[in-house]
Amino acid sequence: MKPQIRILLYSILFFLYLSSTSFFLSLGEILKTDPYITLGCGFAVLNLIYAFFGLKWKPLLNIISAVVIAALALFLALKFTNLHWFIDYDPYQVKTAIFANAVFSIIFWEIVYQIKIRK
């Protein structure tokens, strides 16, 4: 896949992460579930859509990589917000967690892509 196409797909994925976070949180409130579980499942669904339509790998590899990346990115985003680096700009650390999750997901997708093309 050409770098320009990957950058376009990552930009779309980044926008989807940012725009769908409030939807997933409101869905979690309606379903009365833990917000982290709702966000993790929602981001896993977004990752699955990206994996099947953007990468078109084997189904098992798509599913495993999508779920692992969603869980790992959400975990690291929460750990990143605990550092309180942007407390002056984002006192509740919500925007920091959302941006960190999107950036970590894209970084992990690129790592998985590089590993896949080298094999």
Side-chain angles (χ1 to χ4, degrees), residues 1-118:
M1 184 182 324
K2 292 182 179 181
Q4 296 89 352
I5 295 173
R6 281 200 328 265
I7 290 171
L8 176 67
L9 288 174
Y10 291 149
S11 300
I12 292 169
L13 191 63
F14 183 78
F15 176 74
L16 283 175
Y17 270 116
L18 296 182
S19 62
S20 65
T21 302
S22 61
F23 170 72
F24 291 141
L25 288 175
S26 63
L27 182 67
E29 289 178 7
I30 292 171
L31 297 175
K32 297 179 182 172
T33 60
D34 187 62
Y36 300 116
I37 293 173
T38 307
L39 282 175
C41 292
F43 292 146
V45 169
L46 284 178
N47 283 342
L48 279 171
I49 292 169
Y50 170 72
F52 279 106
F53 290 119
L55 299 177
K56 299 176 184 172
W57 293 338
K58 295 179 182 178
L60 184 62
L61 182 62
N62 285 341
I63 293 169
I64 291 172
S65 59
V67 171
V68 168
I69 287 174
L72 188 60
L74 188 60
F75 173 76
L76 287 177
L78 292 174
K79 292 299 179 186
F80 183 76
T81 57
N82 287 339
L83 296 174
H84 301 291
W85 284 351
F86 304 107
I87 197 77
D88 295 335
Y89 306 107
D90 185 19
Y92 297 110
Q93 300 291 304
V94 174
K95 293 177 187 173
T96 305
I98 294 169
F99 280 110
N101 184 34
V103 170
F104 283 134
S105 294
I106 291 170
I107 289 170
F108 291 139
W109 273 118
E110 183 61 24
I111 290 170
V112 169
Y113 178 78
Q114 291 298 325
I115 290 171
K116 175 71 170 128
I117 64 170
R118 299 208 194 279

